[in-house]
């Protein structure tokens, strides 16, 4: 089998490695326009903050790692054409074009930035922050500067804002929405996250109109105000990269991303698509959505590798389970927010509790804030958490609850572990389920 | 409704509080032979080790807390008789007997110690370690002494052994089985746990024959050896307390504990039983078993409170999900061990991996050792973990996996959270599932 993979992000590289793990013989060829591969974009804020020493540390493998596994990896190489009837692709390297055949073609082309919807008179000291290349540039450009303004960024931006503030920069975050991370946190929880943390000056509902230059300073015009900055980080709005998919005859979905079935197959025979360029189904609403997350890409890659090896695993509808660190606090989310439920007019009941991670009397403890959103029959559709302590496995449990359509009354029947130094005897998820049950009974 | 509860351990007290939370009017009366209530037995090792300052700190509520909630709590009071036809119980307080009626009677009588199966010539400096009273006595009695020997204890004993060793005592642990915590850990994992930790001198397969006294010293005779000690902690072997249950006409099960149905009802009308005195069903084998754990007691109490309020929740078969701290390491387990699978002749495949809790490049990281046990079709039936990091929510996820009869191939289709400072991009549970799948394919 000759597998051609276009794209070497989390999706493409994980797929290549997983195919190789199952099968020593297949020919595996990857093309990427980029020079940087196999790094963790989520770790960029940690390098900017100095928690991880260097950008080199977050690169997990070099090209040789893949060559050693007999995976052909073409860096800085654009695939310029696909012919799905002849089953060929054409790529351009060092200004020479070449055409090769494939048995299976996997589009893992990711997404691409779109320009912000406001005017910028001059791009000096204005950057995007989406990849390791951006990270290295920003790390240098902020040196010796003071004021940094972030505009409506998602996780990597918000995390970087806090990390740079900790290093002594004067950081402002202008958020267009009602609160930060609006896809994952309701206003009450994101407000709490901002309130618990220190160091970054936040403005929500900030509608940026333009950025102008005044000597060495940038002036960001928003609402009826102006704020100055030495460095500006732009929003990272992106659209799926679908040029090749369209050329190959692949159908796109409601969000302009490649349409795939549960086996990650496009409508074109022997062409598959995974990662940020595809549309997926939402577990809660049953409708199409996008899920541009590394975890989604990796999961799709593992499932596709299994299926290319003859299995028939399905990529299930997503609940968007996330965890991350903002300043001194971790946040986690799975399922839909209450704001989203309201938007789609789904009747829900929700509650928030403040509890502990460990037994109340245990000395080294962390507060835990949980919000849970349920349908009126008690089925959990969303959960959000904040704590200085680890939330990763805790939200994974909720991810299972939500994908399995569990009700609160089923949660209190579940078995949770307990020891005073690590957990509460009545698990916080059980505590909040009981509160929701009380609300529903009323 | 007049509810009489016999026993004020985790089961009895949680039940009383949960009934009151749902219903302000019911008359709730609790009887306990003990003077100590509402403390966490699992925290005893932490007090002996000085992590928690005093035994008073692990008492969550005093009797007044319950009186304030209009719960009648009779300490140091034995219930001496039950008449299930007249629906009365008789109790004895200050040598006076009194008989009262009940609408619902809940037996939460717990279990009781049995004498060790070896000879002891003199009980000075020889103790059990099962409750706060024992803890206080041992705390005093080890003062100024040096050598402490524990014999075949479960969690509280093992944890206390390590905590006392950290304080400078010369501690030996004589384990009758192939390894410590044999109900939760296979020999490979318990061996690893002992190997990773320092401070306690372990001997497995140690068959204690007698303890004799030689001046101020105790001599423990086991196998063909003798070891001396200043203080000896005996095994905490227990049997369910069923005197009242038998008198009331309640049927007992295979293990001599009270037989209940999934609604926690005994065979006698209006008599329920919860906690350490009952038998439960094993999720894996479908057969009767005992589950003398605080978490089981609390879960049964919450479910029974719901059912007494008119709901119809079920107490589901158990998988025995546990977590605890032994020395510098936490261990966790859910489901059955491989040794148990072998004993009941269930064909299984298992594997162990050594991985990380966080992204490999993240500086503050912890190693994570996982063993997973699956049926030959990939259904997970058991999991064991060791790490210096938190394992509580991680094993909860496995608890869900095992109770939901999930297969490895379903696990890799599940959504897990990821951020480098808290998690790996491919969750360790997914990593080990892939290893099991490879083994099964072969």
């Amino acid at each position: 089998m000759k597998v051609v993979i276009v794209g070497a992000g989390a999706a493409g590289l994980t797929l290549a490695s997983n195919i190789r793990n199952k099968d020593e013989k297949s020919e595996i060829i990857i093309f990427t326009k980029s020079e940087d591969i196999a790094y963790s974009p989520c770790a960029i804020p940690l390098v900017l903050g100095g928690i991880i020493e260097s950008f080199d540390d977050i690169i997990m493998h070099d090209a040789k790692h893949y060559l050693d596994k007999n995976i052909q990896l073409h860096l800085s190489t654009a695939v310029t054409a696909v012919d799905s009837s002849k089953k060929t692709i054409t790529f351009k390297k060092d200004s020479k074009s070449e055409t090769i055949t494939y048995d299976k073609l996997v589009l893992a082309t990711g997404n691409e930035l779109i320009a912000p919807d406001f005017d910028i008179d001059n791009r000096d000291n204005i950057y995007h922050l989406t990849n390791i290349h951006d990270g290295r540039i920003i790390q240098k450009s902020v040196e010796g500067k003071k004021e940094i303004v972030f505009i409506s960024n998602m996780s990597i931006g918000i995390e970087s804002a806090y990390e740079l503030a900790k290093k002594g920069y004067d950081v402002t975050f202008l958020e267009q929405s009602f609160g930060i991370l609006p896809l994952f946190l309701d206003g009450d929880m994101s407000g709490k996250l901002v309130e618990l943390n220190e160091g970054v000056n936040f403005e929500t509902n900030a509608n940026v109109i333009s950025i102008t230059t005044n000597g060495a300073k940038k002036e960001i015009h928003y609402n009826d105000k102006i704020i100055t900055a030495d460095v500006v980080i732009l929003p990272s709005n992106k659209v799926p990269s679908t040029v090749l998919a369209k050329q190959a005859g692949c159908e796109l979905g409601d969000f302009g991303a490649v349409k795939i079935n549960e086996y990650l197959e496009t409508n074109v025979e022997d062409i598959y698509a995974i990662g940020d360029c595809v549309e997926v189904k939402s577990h809660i609403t049953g409708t199409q959505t996008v899920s541009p997350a590394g975890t989604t890409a990796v999961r799709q890659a593992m499932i596709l590798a299994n299926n290319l090896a003859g299995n028939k695993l399905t990529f299930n509808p997503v609940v968007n389970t996330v965890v991350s660190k903002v300043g001194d606090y971790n946040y986690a989310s799975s399922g839909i927010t209450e704001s989203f439920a309201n938007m789609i007019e789904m009747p829900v009941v929700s509650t928030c509790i403040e509890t502990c991670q460990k037994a109340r009397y245990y000395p080294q403890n962390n507060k835990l804030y949980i919000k849970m959103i349920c349908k009126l029959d008690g089925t959990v559709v969303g959960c959000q958490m904040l704590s200085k302590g680890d939330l990763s496995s805790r939200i994974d449990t909720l991810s299972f609850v939500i994908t399995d359509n569990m009700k609160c009354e089923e949660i209190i029947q579940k078995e949770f572990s307990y020891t005073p130094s690590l957990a509460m005897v009545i698990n916080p998820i059980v505590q909040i389920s009981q509160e929701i049950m009380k609300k529903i009974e009323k």
Side-chain angles (χ1 to χ4, degrees), chain A:
Chain A
M1 188 172 63
K2 183 177 179 181
V3 184
V4 171
I5 302 167
V6 187
L13 291 179
T14 306
L15 176 65
S17 298
N18 274 264
I19 294 173
R20 181 57 76 229
N21 281 347
K22 291 177 178 298
D23 162 15
E24 286 177 16
K25 288 179 197 155
S26 279
E27 195 177 346
I28 307 170
I29 311 169
I30 314 180
F31 296 96
T32 173
K33 285 190 254 184
S34 175
E35 281 182 52
D36 301 304
I37 56 154
Y39 66 92
S40 176
C42 304
I44 293 170
L46 303 170
V47 183
L48 289 177
I51 295 173
I52 294 173
E53 214 176 292
S54 143
F55 279 106
D56 296 336
D57 295 338
I58 66 170
I59 298 170
M60 280 158 292
H61 303 298
D62 57 9
K64 190 174 170 299
H65 169 87
Y66 295 94
L67 296 174
D68 288 349
K69 286 185 169 186
N70 192 23
I71 294 168
Q72 297 174 48
L73 178 56
H74 297 271
L75 301 180
S76 311
T77 308
V79 173
T80 53
V82 183
D83 185 331
S84 56
S85 59
K86 292 185 186 154
K87 293 180 79 172
T88 62
I89 62 115
T90 303
F91 63 93
K92 199 170 179 182
K93 195 173 193 175
D94 306 331
S95 72
K96 278 181 218 159
S97 272
E98 194 177 327
T99 297
I100 59 167
T101 59
Y102 65 79
D103 295 324
K104 305 283 179 185
L105 174 64
V106 182
L107 300 174
T109 46
N111 49 25
E112 54 207 53
L113 277 169
I114 50 171
D117 58 355
F118 45 80
D119 291 329
I120 301 172
D121 69 347
N122 170 327
R123 290 291 291 246
D124 292 350
N125 295 317
I126 299 185
Y127 308 99
H128 282 287
L129 175 49
T130 63
N131 57 38
I132 196 168
H133 182 72
D134 299 337
R136 291 187 201 268
I137 289 175
I138 290 169
Q139 193 178 39
K140 274 188 195 158
S141 84
V142 296
E143 260 175 38
K145 304 238 173 70
K146 191 165 160 44
E147 292 174 344
I148 307 174
V149 171
F150 283 77
I151 303 171
S152 285
N153 266 255
M154 283 298 289
S155 307
I156 293 178
I158 291 170
E159 290 160 49
S160 298
Y162 275 100
E163 293 302 333
L164 290 167
K166 275 192 194 171
K167 289 184 88 173
Y169 292 98
D170 181 355
V171 179
T172 298
F173 197 101
L174 301 177
E175 170 61 50
Q176 196 175 4
S177 168
F178 59 79
I180 58 167
L181 302 161
L183 292 179
F184 305 128
L185 299 177
D186 282 309
D188 49 356
M189 293 298 275
S190 61
K192 187 89 196 162
L193 181 56
V194 168
E195 180 196 317
L196 289 168
N197 271 307
E198 281 174 9
V200 173
N201 171 35
F202 263 98
E203 292 221 30
T204 51
N205 302 307
N207 182 28
V208 174
I209 300 147
S210 66
I211 306 177
T212 55
T213 308
N214 187 349
K217 287 279 182 184
K218 297 292 170 183
E219 292 179 341
I220 300 102
H221 305 254
Y222 70 100
N223 300 354
D224 50 0
K225 302 182 204 170
I226 299 175
I227 186 173
T228 60
D230 298 311
V231 172
V232 179
I233 311 297
L234 295 174
S236 300
N237 299 325
K238 294 176 182 177
V239 290
S241 300
T242 55
V243 175
L244 286 179
K246 279 186 275 191
Q247 201 182 82
C250 298
E251 215 178 308
L252 304 189
D254 306 341
F255 288 80
V258 183
K259 216 168 170 176
I260 48 168
N261 65 12
E262 68 266 45
Y263 305 114
L264 306 158
E265 300 161 345
T266 69
N267 59 307
V268 180
E269 206 178 342
D270 293 325
I271 301 186
Y272 304 80
I274 56 174
D276 293 353
C277 68
V278 304
E279 277 186 36
V280 296
K281 202 177 255 186
S282 157
H283 175 79
I284 312 285
T285 64
T287 57
Q288 293 301 110
T289 183
V290 288
S291 176
T295 44
T296 298
V298 165
R299 200 161 73 257
Q300 290 178 330
M302 290 190 298
I303 289 168
L304 183 54
N306 269 285
N307 290 354
L308 290 175
N311 289 324
K312 201 85 179 164
L313 301 188
T314 58
F315 178 77
N316 296 328
V318 300
V319 292
N320 288 324
T321 302
V322 298
V323 70
S324 199
K325 182 170 162 285
V326 168
D328 295 326
Y329 279 78
N330 298 307
Y331 73 88
S333 173
S334 185
I336 61 169
T337 60
E338 188 171 14
S339 325
F340 184 80
N342 292 339
M343 203 181 77
I344 61 169
E345 296 180 349
M346 175 190 281
V348 291
V349 54
S350 80
T351 200
C352 299
I353 62 168
E354 181 185 323
T355 179
C356 302
Q357 287 225 319
K358 307 173 182 181
R360 287 196 192 279
Y361 52 79
Y362 193 77
Q364 299 123 37
N365 213 332
N366 286 302
K367 278 192 182 173
L368 173 63
Y369 303 88
I370 313 187
K371 175 173 186 167
M372 201 152 85
I373 301 116
C374 297
K375 288 190 191 170
L376 302 187
D377 67 355
T379 306
V380 185
V381 292
C383 185
Q384 300 159 40
M385 302 180 188
L386 308 176
S387 179
K388 280 190 178 176
D390 191 353
L391 294 176
S392 170
S393 295
R394 205 182 282 278
I395 199 70
D396 291 345
T397 315
L398 261 297
S399 181
F400 280 50
V401 163
I402 297 171
T403 33
D404 295 343
N405 302 313
M406 248 180 243
K407 291 181 184 179
C408 288
E409 62 180 50
E410 290 173 281
I411 292 174
I412 75 165
Q413 290 164 285
K414 285 277 173 189
E415 215 172 297
F416 292 87
S417 64
Y418 160 64
T419 195
S421 60
L422 299 175
M424 299 185 84
V425 66
I426 300 182
N427 192 287
I429 301 166
V430 174
Q431 292 171 27
I432 197 166
S433 297
Q434 286 184 308
E435 293 300 318
I436 294 266
M437 283 170 75
K438 251 197 242 175
K439 267 198 163 181
I440 291 175
E441 274 164 29
K442 278 180 192 161

